[in-house]
Amino acid sequence: MSVRRLLIAAPTALLGVMALAAPAAAQVSTAAEDGGGGRGVSMVALLLGLAGVVLGVLALRSSGRGPGMAFASVALGLVGGVVGAFALSDAEVGTGNGQGGAIVSLVLALIAMAVGGLAVSRSRRSA
């Protein structure tokens, strides 16, 4: 990625994160007032799994540059899977308690670990 694109993409990503974080923060504070519901932990697991998938895809695109991003993808997938499994095991039976987010985070974590593992094997083959 060139420096010019990086200088354009960094502020855009920062603004996007801030725009998306405000409604999520409002939901978390509202959920904390009525006992939580368990959605916060599954949301964290979901974000970890999604970040792992994104890093894995980026590592696949630049597989000749070393396995650093690929290992980060595998690690984020592993952590997201553990947190998602904890959120799923801790959730009570019913709706609105974060079970759906925990299940999706487990799927994303598996995808992140698979894509990251593929990128690790490609980076070792090309090195």
Side-chain angles (χ1 to χ4, degrees):
M1 178 181 269
S2 69
V3 174
R4 181 178 173 195
R5 286 188 181 175
L6 182 65
L7 291 175
I8 292 171
T12 306
L14 185 62
L15 286 175
V17 166
M18 289 190 324
L20 293 174
Q27 271 188 336
V28 169
S29 67
T30 304
E33 292 171 2
D34 64 357
R39 284 175 263 170
V41 177
S42 63
M43 183 65 74
V44 169
L46 193 77
L47 291 175
L48 285 170
L50 187 61
V53 170
V54 168
L55 278 179
V57 168
L58 289 175
L60 274 177
R61 289 184 62 203
S62 61
S63 61
R65 296 185 187 169
M69 238 191 296
F71 282 130
S73 171
V74 172
L76 280 173
L78 184 64
V79 172
V82 168
V83 173
F86 172 74
L88 191 59
S89 68
D90 194 39
E92 297 175 8
V93 177
T95 59
N97 54 8
Q99 284 181 337
I103 292 169
V104 172
S105 73
L106 287 174
V107 171
L108 283 176
L110 288 173
I111 292 170
M113 287 188 285
V115 172
L118 182 64
V120 167
S121 68
R122 283 189 183 179
S123 68
R124 288 188 178 175
R125 194 175 335 142
S126 67

XYZ file of all heavy atoms in Angstrom:
835
model
N 0.852 -1.162 0.000
C 0.000 0.000 0.000
C 0.901 1.229 0.000
O 1.809 1.342 0.800
C -0.903 -0.028 1.235
C -1.794 1.180 1.338
S -2.833 1.162 2.804
C -4.257 0.346 2.153
N 0.619 2.137 -0.901
C 1.450 3.326 -0.985
C 1.120 4.286 0.163
O 0.073 4.187 0.803
C 1.224 4.024 -2.327
O -0.079 4.572 -2.370
N 2.036 5.202 0.401
C 1.854 6.165 1.482
C 0.660 7.061 1.194
O -0.098 7.421 2.103
C 3.151 6.990 1.664
C 2.954 8.090 2.678
C 4.298 6.092 2.060
N 0.458 7.382 -0.054
C -0.670 8.246 -0.422
C -2.006 7.583 -0.085
O -2.891 8.210 0.490
C -0.590 8.549 -1.911
C -1.678 9.449 -2.401
C -1.487 9.737 -3.866
N -2.610 10.466 -4.391
C -2.855 10.616 -5.670
N -2.030 10.116 -6.551
N -3.901 11.276 -6.067
N -2.128 6.311 -0.422
C -3.368 5.603 -0.098
C -3.539 5.434 1.398
O -4.645 5.488 1.917
C -3.385 4.238 -0.772
C -3.629 4.321 -2.245
C -3.825 2.965 -2.825
N -4.041 3.059 -4.255
C -4.142 2.024 -5.048
N -4.049 0.813 -4.542
N -4.334 2.183 -6.322
N -2.429 5.222 2.099
C -2.495 5.092 3.548
C -2.961 6.388 4.195
O -3.765 6.381 5.124
C -1.131 4.680 4.095
C -1.063 4.462 5.598
C -1.923 3.279 5.992
C 0.368 4.242 6.026
N -2.471 7.507 3.701
C -2.875 8.796 4.253
C -4.338 9.105 3.960
O -4.979 9.861 4.690
C -1.980 9.908 3.716
C -0.536 9.892 4.219
C 0.283 10.977 3.528
C -0.487 10.077 5.713
N -4.876 8.529 2.923
C -6.298 8.719 2.619
C -7.150 7.729 3.425
O -8.211 8.080 3.942
C -6.559 8.556 1.110
C -5.907 9.712 0.344
C -8.044 8.501 0.815
C -5.926 9.537 -1.147
N -6.671 6.498 3.544
C -7.475 5.460 4.178
C -7.524 5.587 5.700
O -8.547 5.263 6.311
C -6.927 4.083 3.807
N -6.447 6.060 6.334
C -6.414 6.117 7.796
C -7.475 7.055 8.374
O -8.224 6.642 9.270
C -5.019 6.499 8.274
N -7.593 8.305 7.917
C -8.656 9.156 8.484
C -10.059 8.660 8.151
O -10.972 8.782 8.959
C -8.417 10.522 7.855
C -7.043 10.489 7.321
C -6.729 9.066 7.037
N -10.215 8.069 6.975
C -11.524 7.539 6.602
C -11.917 6.391 7.529
O -13.063 6.315 7.982
C -11.491 7.051 5.147
O -11.032 8.111 4.320
C -12.850 6.604 4.693
N -10.977 5.507 7.811
C -11.269 4.400 8.722
C -11.558 4.908 10.122
O -12.452 4.393 10.805
C -10.086 3.433 8.743
N -10.831 5.915 10.574
C -11.056 6.475 11.900
C -12.449 7.085 12.008
O -13.155 6.874 13.002
C -9.988 7.512 12.223
C -10.022 8.114 13.620
C -9.806 7.033 14.657
C -8.968 9.193 13.757
N -12.858 7.836 10.986
C -14.204 8.416 10.993
C -15.272 7.325 10.947
O -16.304 7.427 11.616
C -14.368 9.370 9.816
C -13.650 10.707 9.946
C -13.787 11.497 8.654
C -14.201 11.501 11.107
N -15.030 6.275 10.167
C -15.989 5.180 10.100
C -16.132 4.464 11.424
O -17.236 4.119 11.840
N -15.015 4.246 12.111
C -15.068 3.581 13.414
C -15.820 4.437 14.418
O -16.638 3.944 15.188
C -13.638 3.252 13.906
C -13.634 2.886 15.366
C -13.052 2.136 13.078
N -15.558 5.738 14.411
C -16.258 6.621 15.351
C -17.743 6.690 15.039
O -18.568 6.728 15.946
C -15.631 8.012 15.333
C -14.269 8.034 15.971
S -13.530 9.656 16.258
C -14.023 10.646 14.917
N -18.102 6.682 13.752
C -19.513 6.740 13.386
C -20.238 5.461 13.781
O -21.412 5.490 14.155
C -19.656 6.988 11.887
N -19.547 4.325 13.698
C -20.179 3.063 14.062
C -20.133 2.795 15.559
O -20.935 2.032 16.084
C -19.509 1.915 13.314
C -19.716 1.898 11.809
C -18.882 0.797 11.184
C -21.173 1.731 11.457
N -19.177 3.408 16.259
C -19.033 3.132 17.687
C -20.076 3.864 18.531
O -20.450 3.384 19.599
C -17.637 3.531 18.153
N -20.552 4.997 18.078
C -21.508 5.771 18.875
C -22.824 5.012 19.092
O -23.280 4.899 20.229
C -21.757 7.123 18.232
N -23.463 4.464 18.045
C -24.685 3.697 18.306
C -24.429 2.434 19.131
O -25.248 2.056 19.956
C -25.188 3.324 16.912
C -24.549 4.274 15.990
C -23.248 4.642 16.613
N -23.283 1.796 18.916
C -22.981 0.597 19.692
C -22.771 0.943 21.160
O -23.210 0.211 22.046
C -21.736 -0.086 19.129
N -22.116 2.068 21.435
C -21.918 2.490 22.818
C -23.246 2.834 23.481
O -23.455 2.552 24.659
C -20.976 3.685 22.864
N -24.164 3.425 22.721
C -25.473 3.745 23.272
C -26.244 2.468 23.606
O -26.924 2.392 24.628
C -26.266 4.593 22.287
N -26.124 1.447 22.759
C -26.804 0.189 23.036
C -26.224 -0.505 24.258
O -26.951 -1.061 25.065
C -26.688 -0.748 21.843
C -27.782 -0.589 20.844
C -27.716 -1.672 19.785
O -26.667 -2.252 19.543
N -28.845 -1.928 19.164
N -24.899 -0.468 24.377
C -24.265 -1.127 25.515
C -24.652 -0.436 26.813
O -24.950 -1.076 27.810
C -22.727 -1.167 25.335
C -22.051 -1.597 26.607
C -22.375 -2.108 24.210
N -24.690 0.912 26.809
C -25.062 1.613 28.036
C -26.529 1.365 28.385
O -26.878 1.247 29.548
C -24.778 3.107 27.905
O -25.629 3.687 26.943
N -27.391 1.259 27.381
C -28.793 0.957 27.638
C -28.944 -0.470 28.156
O -29.712 -0.729 29.079
C -29.628 1.126 26.354
O -29.442 2.440 25.869
C -31.089 0.876 26.612
N -28.173 -1.390 27.576
C -28.253 -2.776 28.020
C -27.691 -2.941 29.427
O -28.159 -3.787 30.180
C -27.498 -3.682 27.050
N -26.709 -2.130 29.794
C -26.126 -2.228 31.131
C -27.119 -1.792 32.209
O -27.072 -2.271 33.331
C -24.860 -1.388 31.216
N -28.026 -0.897 31.832
C -29.011 -0.428 32.799
C -30.058 -1.496 33.117
O -30.562 -1.545 34.227
C -29.698 0.825 32.266
C -28.760 2.019 32.187
C -29.390 3.184 31.461
O -30.561 3.082 31.043
O -28.710 4.202 31.311
N -30.356 -2.361 32.144
C -31.382 -3.380 32.395
C -30.792 -4.770 32.597
O -31.414 -5.773 32.296
C -32.430 -3.388 31.288
C -31.859 -3.787 29.940
O -30.644 -4.000 29.850
O -32.650 -3.884 28.988
N -29.576 -4.858 33.083
C -28.989 -6.150 33.398
C -28.036 -6.676 32.352
O -27.438 -7.710 32.534
N -27.873 -6.032 31.225
C -26.887 -6.436 30.236
C -27.446 -7.285 29.131
O -27.506 -6.869 28.008
N -27.842 -8.467 29.418
C -28.350 -9.348 28.383
C -27.269 -10.184 27.732
O -27.572 -11.055 26.947
N -25.990 -9.940 27.987
C -24.911 -10.754 27.449
C -24.508 -10.426 26.036
O -23.749 -11.169 25.430
N -25.018 -9.343 25.475
C -24.682 -9.022 24.095
C -23.317 -8.382 23.953
O -22.732 -8.419 22.888
C -25.741 -8.093 23.505
C -26.998 -8.838 23.166
C -28.048 -7.905 22.722
N -28.874 -7.646 23.908
C -29.792 -6.722 23.985
N -30.010 -5.949 22.974
N -30.487 -6.569 25.078
N -22.780 -7.804 25.006
C -21.487 -7.121 24.923
C -20.345 -8.080 24.647
O -19.491 -7.814 23.795
N -20.339 -9.205 25.325
C -19.261 -10.177 25.149
C -19.326 -10.784 23.752
O -18.300 -10.946 23.083
C -19.349 -11.275 26.226
C -18.289 -12.334 26.012
C -19.213 -10.668 27.603
N -20.528 -11.094 23.282
C -20.638 -11.663 21.944
C -20.291 -10.630 20.880
O -19.763 -10.987 19.823
C -22.032 -12.237 21.711
O -23.005 -11.223 21.781
N -20.531 -9.348 21.148
C -20.147 -8.308 20.193
C -18.626 -8.191 20.111
O -18.071 -8.027 19.021
C -20.756 -6.964 20.605
C -20.464 -5.846 19.627
S -21.203 -6.106 18.019
C -22.887 -5.760 18.390
N -17.948 -8.298 21.236
C -16.482 -8.273 21.236
C -15.939 -9.469 20.463
O -15.021 -9.333 19.652
C -15.947 -8.258 22.683
C -14.457 -8.503 22.717
C -16.275 -6.940 23.344
N -16.519 -10.639 20.676
C -16.086 -11.834 19.951
C -16.330 -11.688 18.455
O -15.504 -12.098 17.632
C -16.814 -13.051 20.491
N -17.453 -11.087 18.107
C -17.785 -10.863 16.709
C -16.769 -9.940 16.054
O -16.297 -10.203 14.940
C -19.192 -10.275 16.615
C -19.843 -10.235 15.259
C -20.335 -11.630 14.917
C -20.998 -9.272 15.272
N -16.402 -8.858 16.733
C -15.420 -7.924 16.181
C -14.041 -8.565 16.064
O -13.316 -8.307 15.089
C -15.360 -6.664 17.034
C -16.605 -5.774 16.975
C -16.473 -4.621 17.954
C -16.808 -5.245 15.567
N -13.659 -9.395 17.022
C -12.372 -10.088 16.939
C -12.340 -11.047 15.747
O -11.353 -11.106 15.009
C -12.095 -10.850 18.229
C -11.687 -10.017 19.436
C -11.691 -10.887 20.690
C -10.331 -9.399 19.226
N -13.412 -11.787 15.551
C -13.481 -12.704 14.417
C -13.468 -11.972 13.089
O -12.795 -12.389 12.142
N -14.188 -10.857 13.010
C -14.220 -10.079 11.780
C -12.853 -9.473 11.479
O -12.406 -9.475 10.322
C -15.275 -8.979 11.880
C -15.544 -8.172 10.622
C -16.053 -9.080 9.521
C -16.542 -7.069 10.915
N -12.170 -8.973 12.502
C -10.825 -8.432 12.304
C -9.873 -9.530 11.843
O -9.002 -9.297 10.995
C -10.320 -7.791 13.595
N -10.032 -10.740 12.362
C -9.208 -11.855 11.931
C -9.434 -12.217 10.472
O -8.482 -12.500 9.738
N -10.688 -12.185 10.029
C -10.995 -12.475 8.620
C -10.385 -11.407 7.714
O -9.778 -11.725 6.686
C -12.520 -12.584 8.401
C -12.856 -12.634 6.934
C -13.065 -13.801 9.106
N -10.528 -10.148 8.112
C -9.976 -9.054 7.294
C -8.458 -9.168 7.206
O -7.873 -9.047 6.123
C -10.404 -7.683 7.866
C -9.627 -6.559 7.233
C -11.894 -7.479 7.671
N -7.795 -9.415 8.329
C -6.340 -9.574 8.301
C -5.927 -10.796 7.491
O -4.900 -10.769 6.803
C -5.787 -9.685 9.721
C -5.578 -8.377 10.461
C -5.041 -8.644 11.856
C -4.647 -7.462 9.716
N -6.688 -11.866 7.560
C -6.380 -13.057 6.779
C -6.473 -12.805 5.281
O -5.619 -13.258 4.515
N -7.501 -12.079 4.865
C -7.645 -11.763 3.447
C -6.505 -10.844 2.996
O -5.928 -11.038 1.913
C -9.030 -11.128 3.172
C -9.101 -10.539 1.784
C -10.114 -12.166 3.366
N -6.165 -9.871 3.818
C -5.045 -8.996 3.477
C -3.729 -9.769 3.427
O -2.867 -9.503 2.586
C -4.941 -7.847 4.478
C -6.039 -6.789 4.407
C -5.878 -5.768 5.527
C -6.029 -6.101 3.054
N -3.560 -10.739 4.311
C -2.352 -11.559 4.298
C -2.302 -12.448 3.062
O -1.226 -12.693 2.516
C -2.281 -12.408 5.556
N -3.457 -12.923 2.598
C -3.481 -13.711 1.370
C -3.110 -12.872 0.160
O -2.448 -13.348 -0.757
C -4.862 -14.328 1.159
C -5.140 -15.644 1.835
C -6.569 -16.077 1.573
C -4.179 -16.706 1.357
N -3.543 -11.624 0.166
C -3.227 -10.751 -0.967
C -1.747 -10.435 -1.031
O -1.209 -10.217 -2.112
C -4.017 -9.447 -0.864
C -5.499 -9.660 -1.147
C -6.253 -8.376 -1.137
N -5.747 -7.503 -2.184
C -5.875 -6.192 -2.167
N -6.475 -5.612 -1.160
N -5.409 -5.462 -3.142
N -1.079 -10.378 0.114
C 0.346 -10.051 0.131
C 1.122 -11.207 0.749
O 1.844 -11.029 1.719
C 0.569 -8.770 0.918
O 0.146 -8.935 2.250
N 0.974 -12.397 0.182
C 1.555 -13.588 0.796
C 3.077 -13.633 0.697
O 3.717 -14.368 1.420
C 0.961 -14.845 0.176
O 1.247 -14.882 -1.204
N 3.688 -12.855 -0.182
C 5.132 -12.891 -0.327
C 5.877 -12.009 0.647
O 7.099 -11.970 0.655
N 5.180 -11.283 1.505
C 5.820 -10.314 2.392
C 6.128 -10.854 3.783
O 6.576 -10.121 4.635
C 4.943 -9.073 2.537
C 4.782 -8.334 1.240
C 4.022 -7.064 1.462
N 3.732 -6.432 0.188
C 2.925 -5.431 0.041
N 2.310 -4.937 1.092
N 2.708 -4.905 -1.143
N 5.841 -12.086 4.036
C 6.116 -12.648 5.353
C 4.836 -13.052 6.054
O 3.742 -12.610 5.703
N 4.966 -13.874 7.088
C 3.781 -14.440 7.733
C 3.228 -13.617 8.894
O 2.383 -14.106 9.629
C 4.292 -15.785 8.234
C 5.722 -15.531 8.540
C 6.196 -14.533 7.508
N 3.655 -12.388 9.087
C 3.233 -11.614 10.254
C 1.741 -11.386 10.333
O 1.112 -11.635 11.369
N 1.149 -10.889 9.244
C -0.287 -10.631 9.255
C -1.081 -11.930 9.313
O -2.165 -11.981 9.896
C -0.685 -9.826 8.015
C -1.348 -8.531 8.367
S -2.117 -7.679 6.991
C -0.764 -7.285 5.958
N -0.539 -12.983 8.731
C -1.227 -14.271 8.748
C -1.289 -14.832 10.167
O -2.321 -15.361 10.595
C -0.517 -15.248 7.819
N -0.188 -14.710 10.904
C -0.197 -15.164 12.292
C -1.153 -14.327 13.137
O -1.815 -14.848 14.037
C 1.211 -15.120 12.894
C 2.082 -16.261 12.465
C 3.350 -16.027 11.967
C 1.639 -17.563 12.561
C 4.160 -17.073 11.570
C 2.445 -18.623 12.174
C 3.709 -18.373 11.669
N -1.230 -13.033 12.856
C -2.171 -12.174 13.578
C -3.610 -12.589 13.286
O -4.461 -12.572 14.183
C -1.951 -10.715 13.196
N -3.885 -12.984 12.054
C -5.222 -13.449 11.691
C -5.586 -14.722 12.443
O -6.703 -14.851 12.965
C -5.285 -13.698 10.187
O -6.473 -14.342 9.838
N -4.655 -15.654 12.516
C -4.903 -16.900 13.243
C -5.115 -16.610 14.729
O -6.023 -17.166 15.367
C -3.746 -17.894 13.031
C -3.900 -19.109 13.920
C -3.678 -18.316 11.572
N -4.300 -15.707 15.282
C -4.421 -15.381 16.704
C -5.756 -14.692 17.004
O -6.420 -15.025 17.993
C -3.260 -14.490 17.136
N -6.147 -13.742 16.160
C -7.431 -13.065 16.377
C -8.593 -14.041 16.229
O -9.577 -13.966 16.969
C -7.594 -11.900 15.406
C -6.876 -10.617 15.781
C -6.983 -9.604 14.647
C -7.430 -10.039 17.048
N -8.492 -14.955 15.278
C -9.528 -15.969 15.125
C -9.624 -16.869 16.340
O -10.711 -17.198 16.803
N -8.471 -17.251 16.879
C -8.455 -18.112 18.057
C -9.051 -17.404 19.272
O -9.902 -17.959 19.984
C -7.034 -18.563 18.356
C -6.844 -19.534 19.501
C -7.540 -20.849 19.194
C -5.369 -19.772 19.757
N -8.642 -16.165 19.491
C -9.175 -15.399 20.627
C -10.665 -15.135 20.441
O -11.455 -15.266 21.384
C -8.384 -14.088 20.814
C -9.043 -13.195 21.840
C -6.955 -14.390 21.212
N -11.077 -14.777 19.217
C -12.496 -14.556 18.953
C -13.326 -15.809 19.161
O -14.445 -15.753 19.672
N -12.771 -16.969 18.802
C -13.468 -18.230 19.021
C -13.615 -18.561 20.492
O -14.668 -19.028 20.927
N -12.562 -18.316 21.259
C -12.632 -18.596 22.698
C -13.643 -17.672 23.380
O -14.467 -18.115 24.194
C -11.231 -18.467 23.336
C -11.315 -18.462 24.844
C -10.331 -19.587 22.852
N -13.595 -16.386 23.030
C -14.533 -15.436 23.630
C -15.964 -15.751 23.184
O -16.905 -15.682 23.982
C -14.131 -13.982 23.280
C -15.185 -12.993 23.735
C -12.791 -13.647 23.896
N -16.145 -16.131 21.913
C -17.471 -16.504 21.422
C -18.007 -17.749 22.097
O -19.196 -17.830 22.425
N -17.140 -18.730 22.326
C -17.569 -19.942 23.025
C -17.942 -19.624 24.466
O -18.917 -20.168 25.002
C -16.457 -20.993 22.983
N -17.180 -18.732 25.093
C -17.533 -18.315 26.454
C -18.886 -17.602 26.469
O -19.715 -17.851 27.342
C -16.453 -17.396 27.024
C -16.831 -16.776 28.331
C -16.830 -17.534 29.493
C -17.216 -15.444 28.409
C -17.197 -16.975 30.703
C -17.582 -14.879 29.607
C -17.579 -15.645 30.760
N -19.112 -16.708 25.504
C -20.383 -15.986 25.450
C -21.541 -16.939 25.192
O -22.626 -16.775 25.750
C -20.332 -14.910 24.362
N -21.315 -17.956 24.372
C -22.376 -18.914 24.073
C -22.670 -19.809 25.275
O -23.826 -20.123 25.553
C -21.984 -19.768 22.866
C -23.059 -20.639 22.258
C -24.238 -19.797 21.795
C -22.507 -21.428 21.110
N -21.632 -20.184 26.003
C -21.864 -21.048 27.159
C -22.452 -20.281 28.336
O -23.131 -20.857 29.178
C -20.554 -21.709 27.584
O -19.672 -20.735 28.110
N -22.188 -18.979 28.390
C -22.655 -18.164 29.501
C -24.078 -17.637 29.288
O -24.717 -17.204 30.240
C -21.691 -16.990 29.708
C -21.914 -16.297 31.032
O -22.175 -16.993 32.031
O -21.814 -15.047 31.061
N -24.577 -17.677 28.057
C -25.891 -17.107 27.750
C -27.008 -17.996 28.288
O -26.909 -19.217 28.305
C -26.054 -16.939 26.241
N -28.068 -17.343 28.728
C -29.242 -18.067 29.201
C -30.130 -18.422 28.012
O -30.007 -17.852 26.936
C -30.018 -17.193 30.186
C -29.227 -16.862 31.435
C -29.971 -15.892 32.341
O -31.143 -15.603 32.060
O -29.365 -15.449 33.308
N -31.041 -19.345 28.219
C -31.947 -19.758 27.158
C -32.958 -18.645 26.926
O -33.511 -18.086 27.861
C -32.661 -21.075 27.542
C -33.666 -21.469 26.479
C -31.641 -22.166 27.766
N -33.182 -18.298 25.668
C -34.135 -17.253 25.330
C -33.608 -16.404 24.190
O -32.602 -16.728 23.558
N -34.297 -15.308 23.943
C -33.885 -14.428 22.864
C -33.322 -13.131 23.427
O -33.617 -12.751 24.554
C -35.084 -14.095 21.958
O -36.082 -13.464 22.763
C -35.658 -15.335 21.315
N -32.495 -12.471 22.631
C -31.942 -11.177 23.030
C -30.810 -11.264 24.031
O -30.514 -10.302 24.717
N -30.157 -12.414 24.115
C -29.111 -12.562 25.106
C -27.730 -12.739 24.492
O -26.792 -13.078 25.183
C -29.413 -13.731 26.039
C -29.668 -15.009 25.285
O -29.480 -15.063 24.084
N -30.102 -16.024 25.992
N -27.588 -12.558 23.180
C -26.283 -12.616 22.541
C -25.907 -13.964 21.968
O -24.783 -14.132 21.524
N -26.809 -14.924 21.963
C -26.476 -16.241 21.417
C -26.220 -16.181 19.913
O -25.320 -16.847 19.420
C -27.591 -17.244 21.694
C -27.620 -17.726 23.110
C -28.716 -18.741 23.332
O -29.695 -18.789 22.589
N -28.560 -19.560 24.356
N -27.007 -15.398 19.207
C -26.820 -15.283 17.753
C -25.472 -14.679 17.408
O -24.769 -15.164 16.516
N -25.094 -13.633 18.115
C -23.792 -13.024 17.882
C -22.650 -13.951 18.230
O -21.610 -13.965 17.571
N -22.830 -14.752 19.267
C -21.789 -15.708 19.661
C -21.621 -16.797 18.602
O -20.499 -17.197 18.292
C -22.123 -16.317 21.012
N -22.726 -17.246 18.029
C -22.648 -18.272 16.986
C -21.977 -17.714 15.739
O -21.105 -18.360 15.144
C -24.051 -18.824 16.673
C -24.565 -19.614 17.873
C -24.042 -19.693 15.422
C -26.018 -19.992 17.787
N -22.352 -16.507 15.350
C -21.726 -15.873 14.185
C -20.246 -15.626 14.446
O -19.408 -15.798 13.557
C -22.464 -14.566 13.814
C -21.724 -13.799 12.738
C -23.870 -14.877 13.357
N -19.892 -15.249 15.670
C -18.479 -15.026 15.977
C -17.679 -16.319 15.897
O -16.515 -16.308 15.489
C -18.331 -14.391 17.357
O -18.604 -15.331 18.366
N -18.281 -17.446 16.285
C -17.588 -18.728 16.144
C -17.344 -19.077 14.680
O -16.266 -19.563 14.314
C -18.391 -19.838 16.823
C -18.385 -19.835 18.348
C -19.338 -20.893 18.883
C -16.990 -20.070 18.869
N -18.330 -18.798 13.834
C -18.159 -19.059 12.398
C -17.064 -18.158 11.822
O -16.187 -18.613 11.079
C -19.498 -18.858 11.658
C -19.311 -18.901 10.164
C -20.506 -19.903 12.104
N -17.096 -16.869 12.178
C -16.064 -15.948 11.701
C -14.685 -16.334 12.224
O -13.686 -16.197 11.510
C -16.396 -14.512 12.113
C -17.473 -13.810 11.304
C -17.758 -12.438 11.895
C -17.066 -13.676 9.857
N -14.616 -16.819 13.446
C -13.331 -17.233 14.007
C -12.773 -18.429 13.250
O -11.565 -18.479 12.961
C -13.489 -17.557 15.489
N -13.616 -19.375 12.903
C -13.156 -20.521 12.117
C -12.677 -20.087 10.738
O -11.651 -20.573 10.239
C -14.270 -21.555 11.994
C -14.595 -22.341 13.255
C -15.822 -23.211 13.032
C -13.411 -23.185 13.664
N -13.405 -19.164 10.116
C -12.991 -18.658 8.807
C -11.660 -17.920 8.923
O -10.769 -18.094 8.085
C -14.090 -17.753 8.216
C -15.326 -18.576 7.861
C -13.586 -17.016 6.979
C -16.533 -17.752 7.491
N -11.507 -17.105 9.966
C -10.259 -16.359 10.155
C -9.083 -17.294 10.352
O -7.998 -17.077 9.786
C -10.390 -15.415 11.352
N -9.268 -18.357 11.131
C -8.168 -19.297 11.348
C -7.836 -20.065 10.071
O -6.668 -20.317 9.783
C -8.509 -20.247 12.489
C -8.457 -19.579 13.843
S -8.621 -20.706 15.220
C -10.362 -21.086 15.164
N -8.848 -20.416 9.292
C -8.597 -21.141 8.040
C -7.878 -20.261 7.025
O -6.892 -20.680 6.405
C -9.918 -21.650 7.466
N -8.357 -19.031 6.853
C -7.730 -18.119 5.895
C -6.324 -17.740 6.359
O -5.386 -17.677 5.563
C -8.617 -16.867 5.681
C -7.910 -15.821 4.853
C -9.914 -17.263 5.018
N -6.156 -17.510 7.649
C -4.835 -17.203 8.183
C -3.871 -18.361 8.031
O -2.699 -18.173 7.691
N -4.341 -19.580 8.260
C -3.500 -20.759 8.066
C -3.095 -20.939 6.620
O -1.947 -21.304 6.318
N -4.017 -20.668 5.703
C -3.698 -20.729 4.283
C -2.651 -19.676 3.921
O -1.716 -19.950 3.165
C -4.966 -20.540 3.454
C -4.821 -20.618 1.945
C -4.368 -22.014 1.536
C -6.136 -20.271 1.283
N -2.783 -18.487 4.481
C -1.816 -17.430 4.200
C -0.443 -17.759 4.797
O 0.588 -17.454 4.197
C -2.318 -16.096 4.770
N -0.419 -18.413 5.968
C 0.862 -18.828 6.562
C 1.545 -19.847 5.657
O 2.741 -19.743 5.392
C 0.659 -19.399 7.983
C 1.902 -20.116 8.460
C 0.291 -18.296 8.946
N 0.786 -20.825 5.168
C 1.392 -21.839 4.323
C 1.877 -21.246 3.004
O 2.936 -21.628 2.493
C 0.411 -22.975 4.061
O -0.654 -22.538 3.263
N 1.146 -20.300 2.444
C 1.604 -19.649 1.209
C 2.821 -18.780 1.430
O 3.701 -18.722 0.587
C 0.486 -18.796 0.618
C -0.559 -19.593 -0.085
C -1.505 -18.687 -0.831
N -2.557 -19.452 -1.458
C -3.523 -18.917 -2.164
N -3.561 -17.603 -2.325
N -4.427 -19.662 -2.726
N 2.879 -18.103 2.566
C 4.029 -17.243 2.821
C 5.292 -18.066 3.070
O 6.383 -17.675 2.692
C 3.771 -16.306 3.995
O 3.698 -17.033 5.197
N 5.148 -19.228 3.689
C 6.314 -20.100 3.915
C 6.784 -20.749 2.615
O 7.944 -21.004 2.437
C 5.985 -21.163 4.944
C 5.891 -20.578 6.323
C 5.762 -21.645 7.351
N 5.733 -21.038 8.678
C 5.534 -21.711 9.771
N 5.350 -23.004 9.728
N 5.509 -21.090 10.937
N 5.831 -21.023 1.723
C 6.188 -21.627 0.449
C 6.944 -20.639 -0.430
O 7.867 -21.007 -1.150
C 4.928 -22.096 -0.271
C 5.211 -23.013 -1.396
C 3.957 -23.586 -2.051
N 2.804 -23.628 -1.196
C 1.567 -23.378 -1.606
N 1.370 -23.044 -2.866
N 0.560 -23.462 -0.807
N 6.534 -19.359 -0.396
C 7.168 -18.366 -1.253
C 8.482 -17.850 -0.670
O 9.283 -17.273 -1.377
C 6.218 -17.192 -1.506
O 6.003 -16.494 -0.294
N 8.703 -18.033 0.632
C 9.922 -17.512 1.259
C 11.099 -18.437 1.067
O 11.069 -19.510 0.676
C 9.695 -17.286 2.745
